Amino acid sequence: MGQQIVTLCLTNDKLFTPIDNEIFISLKMLSVLLQNVMRSREQTKPDMVCDMISRAIRNSINAEYFLADAWFATKLILKITVEQSPVAIARMKRNKIKYLFTVNEESILLSA
């Protein structure tokens, strides 16, 4: 893709510890990256995740599970995982929101 992470690690026979990172971007891909950065400034993190899930599926990367923390357990992301078929495993925020859960054509409202 024209960009790489260069990582400096400290290692011995008992440990492997990354201690520094840099991003290398080839000049050829710089304009593409800048276009992506401008687009990303207009998106929320959940919007970016939805785009990432769609791109992965378009590229035949089919996962059985989608694992996320509470930040990404939004209605939009959960809807996409239901439509695209990976099972969502996500920590839910503690609040009073009720979620519609359907099993065997029976729907109930559940809280996290």
Side-chain angles (χ1 to χ4, degrees):
M1 294 193 92
Q3 57 199 29
Q4 301 165 344
I5 303 293
V6 179
T7 304
L8 176 66
C9 298
L10 176 63
T11 187
N12 62 30
D13 60 341
K14 295 182 182 177
L15 74 103
F16 177 87
T17 304
I19 57 175
D20 200 359
N21 292 295
E22 289 286 343
I23 298 175
F24 170 80
I25 303 165
S26 71
L27 292 176
K28 182 178 176 182
M29 293 301 294
L30 187 58
S31 64
V32 173
L33 182 62
L34 290 174
Q35 289 172 356
N36 291 340
V37 167
M38 295 308 293
R39 187 186 74 222
S40 71
R41 293 181 67 194
E42 299 168 358
Q43 290 184 303
T44 64
K45 285 182 184 180
D47 291 337
M48 288 179 185
V49 170
C50 291
D51 286 351
M52 293 169 75
I53 292 169
S54 297
R55 281 195 304 270
I57 290 168
R58 269 196 318 270
N59 288 297
S60 300
I61 299 171
N62 298 309
E64 291 184 42
Y65 300 98
F66 173 78
L67 179 64
D69 64 14
W71 182 263
F72 299 102
T74 66
K75 286 182 180 181
L76 178 60
I77 291 174
L78 295 176
K79 180 179 182 233
I80 285 176
T81 61
V82 168
E83 290 171 353
Q84 302 294 342
S85 79
V87 174
I89 300 173
R91 182 176 178 150
M92 302 301 287
K93 296 178 183 177
R94 288 187 181 188
N95 54 32
K96 296 179 181 178
I97 293 176
K98 299 283 185 179
Y99 297 89
L100 184 63
F101 185 71
T102 305
V103 176
N104 298 330
E105 299 181 16
E106 182 181 337
S107 297
I108 56 174
L109 289 174
L110 299 173
S111 66

